[in-house]
Amino acid sequence: MMTVRPLALVMAALLSGCANSGAGSAPQSLAKSQPEYFGTAHPFASEAIYFLITDRFVDGDPDNNYPEDSGWDRPLRWDNGDVANVGFQGGDFRGVLDNADYITEMGFTAVWMTPIVANPADAFNGGDPIRRQGFAMDRGKAGYHGYWGVNFYQLDKHLPSPGLDYAAFTGAMSDKGLKTVLDVVINHGSPAYTMPEPLPGYGQLYDEQGRLVADHQNRPPQQLDPANQPLHRFFNTEPDLAQLADMNVEQAEVMDYFVGAYLKWLEQGAAAFRIDTVKHVPASAWAEFSRRIRAEYPDLFMFGEVYDFDAGVIGQYTFPDKGGMSVLDFPMKAALGQIFEQDAGFEVLASTLHLSGDTYANPYELTTFYDNHDMPRINASDEGFIDAHNWLFTARGIPVIYYGSEMGFERGKAEHAGNRNYFGVDNLEAARSHPIRQQLSRIAKVRQQSVALQRGLQLTLTLEGDSAIFYRVYQRGDEAQTALVLLNKGDTPMPVAEQRMMQSGQWRDAFSGEVVTLAEGEALVAEVPAHGVRVFLREGQIEGAELNSALAALQSR
């Protein structure tokens, strides 16, 4: 739920105690009337999300692989040497849980997993042939990814193990310090037509009791007759994405089906929703879905995939009349690609921040990323990955990192060229000593311990060339913390003498714990390593008329 930042001054508490040293020290308490400065108060803003395709992470239980099905292990090999696979490869709940420590060691606190619901077990025999590059080519592909639901009330058979259903899994993940993000689909079911011969499950939908409630009957949408054929009533009669069964969620019965299914998984421990294919569903339906889900779970954090690089397009869904959800920040993703694939400067990020204005209900709650499963992985150098992570874990928003990025896995590869390849325990072990992962863990743990980096206002000082310098400021209730972030994506060290709106007092290096004490008007002097980051933290109330004025302007956006 988007949190509106208050515009009025509020009561807070007097400065008490001294700033503690060490990376984990708490923001200093207040004890007098102070203005509030914060980007968001939503608890989920403190999370960092690791995104994985469950089937492609680790095979923890070979007994749920079902190799006898035609959907098992369907390799693709291309003339240029690229390899991929469009079949099931064995990843499951057990594989994720057994390697939860690997995820938390990097500083992640939440795991977004691909959909958990039942998909067809066999490979689809219709649709268009698969090419190395492109979209909506599904012939010979299986539902290993989870986005082809046929029963949204039932777990896919490839995921659970004895004693490890979804409720047990989310509980065990919580014990490991990880929230579980559920991937939500209401736009479509499975591929539904163009099959030479019908296959079990495809184009069909079953309810919680296992009863068939809808069936495309291998007919194109234009040949469906929902008015007279009961099994057609769930579907739209115009094609949308590939050959997928397109759900008519504006019909009450269909909405009831999906709301009921996703409430079931919330009851079993899902902590947040990632929502698929948002712009393919009428906005009014998202408003209804959100209203009904939040009637039961008022503070549920939801973030949607609006696959568009126009902030005005994606931003509309952050408002209550169109769902009131956060969104994945596609405009920032595009800018990060320019920087770390094409060597653009940090200035291209300025137009994506939207720290003022009303493009988004709250820009601080956007989920930020540079690639995922539906696009080529970013084709960056090791240093580029490190620089990108330094940005994502210090700038506004909630960072989302795709599995394998911690070692540059399959960089530059699209879906059918290796983007979604199996990771496995060998890669997990190799990644532990990789410099990308080492530096990712370093900055992620700083964010994990800093309320300013998680929820503070962002006040930009410099975004130019290889340099990014900004404040993150959180002053609310009995907490007050300022973070000064210095980023250098250049190949040589960057000297900094930062005096703009600088506050006097003690500034602690978030990595080393070393404390620098500044007199009024004195600059903070530091050197930022090549492809490095420095973060300095100051505890206590905000001081200085110029800084307070700038923050007040941001707060009143």
Side-chain angles (χ1 to χ4, degrees):
M1 181 168 60
M2 305 306 288
T3 305
V4 179
R5 299 190 298 280
L7 309 183
L9 300 181
V10 296
M11 294 301 296
L14 216 199
L15 272 171
S16 72
C18 301
N20 297 319
S21 65
S25 63
Q28 190 164 322
S29 297
L30 303 175
K32 65 180 181 180
S33 178
Q34 292 295 330
E36 289 197 332
Y37 301 133
F38 63 101
T40 175
H42 199 291
F44 200 84
S46 64
E47 311 299 337
I49 304 170
Y50 189 73
F51 168 42
L52 56 86
I53 298 174
T54 311
D55 178 72
R56 301 307 170 86
F57 192 56
V58 174
D59 184 358
D61 180 4
D63 289 342
N64 61 18
N65 288 350
Y66 300 95
E68 67 276 11
D69 293 332
S70 69
W72 172 256
D73 190 22
R74 301 183 64 83
L76 299 174
R77 296 181 175 86
W78 304 103
D79 291 343
N80 70 343
D82 286 347
V83 295
N85 201 298
V86 292
F88 289 94
Q89 291 198 274
D92 47 32
F93 290 164
R94 175 58 61 192
V96 177
L97 180 58
D98 286 351
N99 294 283
D101 290 345
Y102 169 87
I103 299 171
T104 59
E105 286 165 6
M106 290 185 282
F108 292 102
T109 57
V111 178
W112 156 24
M113 300 161 61
T114 43
I116 62 174
V117 301
N119 276 231
D122 292 310
F124 185 50
N125 61 5
D128 297 318
I130 293 173
R131 301 187 303 275
R132 180 174 168 274
Q133 302 285 349
F135 176 72
M137 301 168 290
D138 294 330
R139 188 181 303 173
K141 186 183 297 184
Y144 68 89
H145 44 69
Y147 293 97
W148 292 352
V150 296
N151 189 333
F152 289 76
Y153 289 84
Q154 182 182 91
L155 288 176
D156 189 86
K157 67 180 184 179
H158 300 87
L159 298 178
S161 299
L164 194 63
D165 60 8
Y166 190 65
F169 172 75
T170 60
M173 290 287 279
S174 180
D175 291 343
K176 291 284 190 177
L178 291 167
K179 294 181 171 63
T180 304
V181 179
L182 185 72
D183 206 324
V184 168
V185 185
I186 72 172
N187 171 69
H188 61 266
S190 59
Y193 56 100
T194 70
M195 291 175 281
E197 296 293 335
L199 290 169
Y202 281 100
Q204 297 178 329
L205 195 67
Y206 293 83
D207 68 10
E208 189 167 14
Q209 288 72 43
R211 297 173 299 208
L212 182 68
V213 295
D215 191 345
H216 231 274
Q217 298 175 324
N218 203 20
R219 301 182 187 183
Q222 301 92 328
Q223 293 181 15
L224 297 176
D225 185 11
N228 299 300
Q229 169 51 269
L231 288 176
H232 296 174
R233 66 191 186 277
F234 270 54
F235 305 124
N236 287 316
T237 56
E238 294 294 331
D240 186 17
L241 291 172
Q243 292 79 35
L244 297 175
D246 197 60
M247 299 296 176
N248 183 6
V249 291
E250 293 181 288
Q251 189 168 198
E253 182 183 15
V254 182
M255 181 62 74
D256 289 348
Y257 176 91
F258 285 111
V259 169
Y262 289 116
L263 285 174
K264 172 180 178 175
W265 303 122
L266 285 168
E267 291 165 4
Q268 294 191 22
F273 280 177
R274 179 268 182 183
I275 301 178
D276 189 61
T277 50
V278 168
K279 70 178 182 179
H280 293 269
V281 173
S284 59
W286 287 125
E288 175 67 4
F289 179 81
S290 177
R291 181 190 67 79
R292 293 180 62 179
I293 293 292
R294 287 187 172 134
E296 304 295 328
Y297 295 86
D299 296 323
L300 182 70
F301 188 79
M302 305 193 299
F303 63 100
E305 175 220 31
V306 188
Y307 204 127
D308 199 290
F309 297 97
D310 184 331
V313 172
I314 72 173
Q316 62 185 310
Y317 295 96
T318 66
F319 294 94
D321 64 331
K322 295 187 178 179
M325 65 184 79
S326 172
V327 290
L328 285 154
D329 193 345
F330 278 85
M332 183 177 286
K333 173 263 176 297
L336 292 171
Q338 288 180 264
I339 294 170
F340 299 115
E341 292 180 312
Q342 303 170 29
D343 201 29
F346 273 119
E347 62 271 11
V348 301
L349 284 162
S351 64
T352 73
L353 290 171
H354 296 279
L355 301 177
S356 60
D358 58 2
T359 301
Y360 301 111
N362 192 328
Y364 292 89
E365 293 175 6
L366 270 59
T367 44
T368 54
F369 71 110
Y370 50 72
D371 67 12
N372 63 28
H373 59 321
D374 285 333
M375 59 186 65
R377 287 179 180 257
I378 194 169
N379 192 14
S381 65
D382 286 3
E383 293 79 11
F385 277 98
I386 291 167
D387 292 332
H389 295 152
N390 287 339
W391 169 265
L392 288 176
F393 282 81
T394 56
R396 71 104 176 104
I398 302 168
V400 180
I401 305 298
Y402 187 33
Y403 82 98
S405 298
E406 63 270 23
M407 62 180 293
F409 183 62
E410 301 290 1
R411 64 188 85 194
K413 300 295 180 65
E415 174 187 349
H416 298 132
N419 172 295
R420 304 180 181 182
N421 279 354
Y422 182 75
F423 202 51
V425 293
D426 289 346
N427 277 316
L428 264 67
E429 288 307 310
R432 288 184 186 278
S433 59
H434 200 285
I436 298 175
R437 186 178 189 268
Q438 291 173 344
Q439 295 303 312
L440 166 61
S441 301
R442 185 170 177 263
I443 190 59
K445 289 174 182 176
V446 167
R447 183 185 187 275
Q448 193 175 26
Q449 297 164 349
S450 168
V451 69
L453 294 182
Q454 295 167 7
R455 304 180 194 178
L457 291 175
Q458 179 166 337
L459 177 59
T460 302
L461 302 177
T462 300
L463 285 178
E464 184 177 358
D466 292 337
S467 174
I469 302 174
F470 51 89
Y471 289 117
R472 298 292 306 277
V473 180
Y474 185 90
Q475 180 168 279
R476 183 171 185 261
D478 62 354
E479 293 182 296
Q481 184 182 72
T482 303
L484 173 65
V485 178
L486 311 173
L487 301 177
N488 174 22
K489 71 179 186 69
D491 295 330
T492 58
M494 180 180 77
V496 174
E498 186 53 65
Q499 194 170 21
R500 289 169 289 182
M501 291 180 273
M502 180 57 64
Q503 299 174 83
S504 61
Q506 293 186 332
W507 290 84
R508 176 174 48 85
D509 186 311
F511 297 107
S512 70
E514 181 181 355
V515 174
V516 177
T517 302
L518 300 181
E520 187 172 350
E522 187 176 1
L524 191 151
V525 178
E527 182 175 88
V528 186
H531 303 286
V533 55
R534 301 287 299 272
V535 177
F536 293 90
L537 300 174
R538 178 187 182 275
E539 315 295 347
Q541 69 187 55
I542 305 305
E543 297 176 349
E546 184 182 6
L547 179 57
N548 272 286
S549 177
L551 294 171
L554 287 172
Q555 191 69 53
S556 64
R557 59 173 293 278

